[in-house]
Each structure stands twice: as C-alpha cells, then as structure tokens.
Amino acid sequence: MNSLILSTSSRYLLVLLQLFSVFLLLRGHNEPGGGFAGGLVAAAAYALYFIANGVEEARRVFRFEPLTVVVAGLGVALASALPSILGGMEFMRGVWVNTGIPVIGKVGTPLLFDFGVYLLVLGITLKILFSLAGEDEA
C-alpha cells in the first residue's frame, strides 16, 4: 500500500525535519535541545521516510551504514575531550574559541561533544529501525 500523498510529503518533511534537527543541535548547550534531541528528530525524519517509501529507499537516501555513524559519533565525542587534556585542564572541560564572526560568536568543545552525541543517536536509532525492518545484514 503506497500512498502517493505520504510518499511525496515525506520527501519534503525529511528535509524540514533535518533542518530542525540541526537547529536543535546548534541551540543545545544552554537551552533545551542539543545532540540527543537533534539526533532523535533526525532519526524520526528517516523513520517517516522509511514508513512512506520502504526500507530500501530509506537506506539509499541515508547513504551511510548506521554502525559507521555510531563509531564516528563516539570518535567525535571522545575527540571533544582532547583540547582540555592537551591544555592541562580537567577532563571534558569546555574550551572555547572566538571565531570573530558576529553571527556565530564563540564555538567550543561542548558543541563538538553534542555533534558526537547527535551522530551516535542517529546511527543507533537507524540501526534499530533497519534491523526491525528485517533488511539488515548483521
């Protein structure tokens, strides 16, 4: 049962939900949002696309193996601790850099950590979804 309306609208909703997930990721650290909420919204976008178009099409649109995204997320989250360790500070202490760009302002290691969590949540959620769909090799 393919719904033309759901299939067509899911293409647009995928892009809109992805943009909203990035907004949540960037808004995160001191306000509601962050990597976890953004990752869940991104995974929900692919879940909606999967429901509307099938798992093969969702895997084609995602383009990455979910476990690879999980490993990348763990690596990025761990790498966010390196600047504080190399700087002789406590483990996972926030290190900030002023970009000089008025719109962006300061960028720091908490954003890097949130991005790692974003990738981790997105990857593990999609791994679970694709496994439940029965289309996963492992």
Side-chain angles (χ1 to χ4, degrees):
M1 288 186 347
N2 287 342
S3 168
L4 180 62
I5 295 171
L6 182 60
S7 178
T8 305
S9 63
S10 70
R11 292 185 190 119
Y12 297 109
L13 285 172
L14 177 67
V15 174
L16 288 174
L17 287 170
Q18 290 290 336
L19 287 173
F20 183 61
S21 76
V22 171
F23 168 76
L24 285 175
L25 169 68
L26 295 176
R27 182 175 183 223
H29 191 64
N30 293 325
E31 308 240 352
F36 189 78
L40 284 178
V41 170
Y46 283 105
L48 174 65
Y49 194 83
F50 152 64
I51 290 169
N53 299 295
V55 70
E56 298 88 10
E57 184 68 17
R59 287 183 72 83
R60 187 189 66 77
V61 168
F62 186 62
R63 294 188 184 137
F64 299 103
E65 181 60 37
L67 283 181
T68 306
V69 176
V70 169
V71 171
L74 283 172
V76 169
L78 284 174
S80 70
L82 288 178
S84 62
I85 292 172
L86 296 175
M89 296 177 263
E90 300 93 21
F91 180 70
M92 295 292 283
R93 173 143 185 177
V95 177
W96 300 92
V97 175
N98 192 354
T99 62
I101 302 170
V103 176
I104 297 175
K106 291 183 185 179
V107 176
T109 55
L111 178 62
L112 193 61
F113 180 77
D114 274 346
F115 183 64
V117 171
Y118 178 92
L119 291 176
L120 181 71
V121 170
L122 175 62
I124 198 67
T125 306
L126 289 180
K127 178 67 176 170
I128 291 169
L129 282 174
F130 294 156
S131 294
L132 289 175
E135 294 292 327
D136 205 8
E137 302 86 38

